[in-house]
């Protein structure tokens, strides 16, 4: 096999439907169509002819997406089957064998695997827990060379929930400009900020920027499998050519429902619902952590649907995740998926009662493990 197994996605696929409490989800509890759409909109969906539709995304949908970015038009948008396909298409558009990719870590590691498979050279620069997850921009500058073709970011970050400041964004743009590197930013959690203030996009800050968005995370609509790329028109045209070789098009029903979800009033309703859920659940999580004394070290996220925390137990994170899954019927993401043992990721975008019950199972498990280790 020429590509490494994507551990995070693989273990979720294997186990998320086999447990009573799946706390590995990184988004929010999904909407139903009945919850999301009015009766009139449901009738419109019911009367839709199930053809292919426009393969780069319907014009109404691409106009809605373009309105989310400054000085952006539908020609700057390519609609994909989820943001994961967007990552795949973008890498094959922007990279070739021998190119260097400098990637923020921890991160959703799909791009690392794609770059390796293509013969590109992935390198990293860290977010530093000791500095409240701020990026080590000195290390980024050291890692960037004349061979660097892409600086890959995730903002808001998966899994830490950190959001880059405008000053940090400007510094990253300055570093990229020195060598003419592309900035590729995964922005799928944009809109899920806890304080309700949406962070700016990298789109428009530099002429060599491509960003990734989608409806799976901040919008709680993962079943639509609707993602997109936003970037220069010529790059989007080239990306469309790669898209023709992958899934060809997202489904026409997803185009229609996605366009409705991105209408300004509906979008605001969706994001407000999810932010309220996140703030309430984070409050419960903090209370739960406080019950465990020195067991956890935790910096609350600024955005996103997950909590990433260090634990003080003498057990590997994958072993811990497996033990909780097998013995307590609750599933969490091990830090090993990010190359960071002794960390765990817990999804906090779930229904409140479900999350509380799942945390109680984890508490029971941690007490048993502690007694076994004593």
């Amino acid at each position: 096999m020429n590509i490494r197994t994507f551990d995070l996605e693989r273990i979720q696929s294997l186990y998320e439907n086999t447990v009573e409490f799946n706390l590995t989800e990184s988004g929010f509890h999904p909407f139903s169509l009945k919850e999301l759409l009015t009766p009139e909109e449901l009738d419109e969906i019911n009367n839709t002819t199930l053809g292919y539709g426009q393969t780069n995304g319907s014009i109404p949908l691409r106009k809605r997406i373009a309105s989310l970015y400054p000085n952006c038009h539908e020609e700057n948008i390519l609609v994909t089957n989820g943001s994961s396909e967007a990552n795949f298409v973008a890498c094959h558009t922007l990279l070739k064998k021998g190119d260097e990719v400098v990637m923020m870590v921890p991160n959703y590691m799909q791009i690392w695997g794609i770059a390796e498979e293509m013969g590109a050279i992935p390198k990293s620069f860290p977010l530093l827990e000791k500095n409240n997850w701020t990026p080590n921009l000195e290390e980024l500058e050291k890692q960037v060379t004349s061979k660097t073709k892409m600086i890959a970011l995730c903002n808001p970050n998966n899994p830490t929930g950190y959001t880059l400041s405008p000053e940090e964004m400007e510094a990253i743009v300055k570093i990229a400009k020195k060598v003419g590197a592309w900035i590729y930013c995964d922005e799928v959690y944009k809109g899920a900020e806890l304080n309700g203030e949406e962070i700016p996009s990298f789109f428009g800050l530099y002429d060599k920027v491509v960003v990734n968005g989608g409806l799976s995370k901040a919008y709680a609509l993962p079943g639509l499998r609707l993602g997109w790329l936003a970037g220069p028109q010529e790059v989007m045209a080239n990306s469309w050519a790669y898209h023709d070789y992958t899934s060809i098009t997202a489904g026409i029903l997803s185009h229609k429902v996605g366009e409705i979800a991105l209408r300004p009033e509906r979008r605001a309703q969706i994001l407000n619902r999810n932010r309220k859920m996140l703030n309430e659940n984070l409050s419960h999580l903090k209370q739960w952590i406080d019950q465990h004394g020195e067991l956890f070290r935790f910096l609350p996220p600024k955005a996103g649907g997950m909590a990433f925390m260090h634990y003080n137990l003498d057990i590997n994170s994958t072993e811990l995740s497996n033990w909780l899954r097998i013995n307590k019927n609750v599933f969490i993401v091990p830090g090993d998926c990010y190359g960071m043992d002794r960390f765990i990721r817990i999804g906090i975008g779930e229904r409140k009662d479900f999350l509380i019950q799942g945390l109680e199972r984890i508490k029971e498990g941690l007490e048993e493990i502690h007694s076994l280790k004593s």
Side-chain angles (χ1 to χ4, degrees), residues 255-326:
H255 286 184
K256 286 185 173 291
V257 177
E259 187 275 324
I260 293 170
L262 290 174
R263 292 172 186 173
E265 288 188 7
R266 190 67 54 81
R267 179 177 185 268
Q269 292 170 356
I270 291 170
L271 297 183
N272 287 338
R273 174 258 205 186
N274 294 340
R275 285 169 174 153
K276 180 181 178 184
M277 186 184 300
L278 182 58
N279 276 289
E280 289 180 352
N281 287 348
L282 183 58
S283 176
H284 284 286
L285 179 70
K286 288 178 179 177
Q287 294 173 27
W288 180 81
I289 289 173
D290 288 342
Q291 298 170 6
H292 290 87
E294 300 299 316
L295 181 58
F296 292 109
R297 189 173 69 235
F298 176 53
L299 294 170
K302 297 179 182 180
M306 71 203 89
F308 194 59
M309 63 189 78
H310 183 275
Y311 63 88
N312 295 310
L313 281 173
D314 186 21
I315 182 172
N316 168 262
S317 64
T318 298
E319 293 176 7
L320 174 60
S321 175
N322 288 335
W323 193 95
L324 290 170
R325 177 177 53 81
I326 294 166

Side-chain angles (χ1 to χ4, degrees), residues 77-192:
I77 305 297
L78 174 70
V79 176
T80 61
N81 269 285
S83 54
S84 292
E85 185 188 30
N87 285 337
F88 188 90
V89 167
C91 286
H92 282 79
T93 304
L94 298 176
L95 299 174
K96 64 181 186 302
K97 185 176 181 179
D99 288 339
E100 292 180 351
V101 179
V102 183
M103 185 172 176
M104 171 189 285
V105 295
N107 206 327
Y108 185 66
M109 295 302 288
Q110 183 192 17
I111 289 176
W112 191 285
I114 294 170
E116 283 185 329
E117 181 272 332
M118 294 180 65
I121 303 165
K123 303 163 67 176
S124 65
F125 76 99
L127 300 177
L128 299 173
E129 185 197 15
K130 66 180 181 181
N131 292 338
N132 298 318
W133 293 122
T134 57
N136 187 337
L137 297 181
E138 290 183 1
E139 182 64 20
L140 171 61
E141 195 152 21
K142 289 179 183 176
Q143 293 290 353
V144 168
T145 73
S146 59
K147 294 182 179 180
T148 301
K149 189 67 175 290
M150 177 192 289
I151 297 173
L153 311 168
C154 184
N155 187 43
N157 178 254
N158 174 355
T160 67
Y162 183 77
T163 57
L164 296 169
S165 69
E167 294 76 18
E168 288 164 343
M169 293 172 69
E170 290 175 11
I172 292 169
V173 169
K174 185 177 179 180
I175 292 169
K177 283 183 174 179
K178 286 182 179 179
V179 296
W182 285 92
I183 290 175
Y184 181 74
C185 191
D186 178 344
E187 297 181 347
V188 295
Y189 289 99
K190 190 172 178 295

Side-chain angles (χ1 to χ4, degrees), residues 52 54-56 78-82 84-86 88-89 225 227 239-251 255:
Y52 281 109
Q54 189 160 334
T55 60
N56 66 333
L78 174 70
V79 176
T80 61
N81 269 285
S84 292
E85 185 188 30
F88 188 90
V89 167
R225 301 306 304 136
S239 297
W240 189 2
Y242 279 99
H243 184 44
D244 287 339
Y245 280 94
T246 53
S247 66
I248 301 175
T249 181
H255 286 184

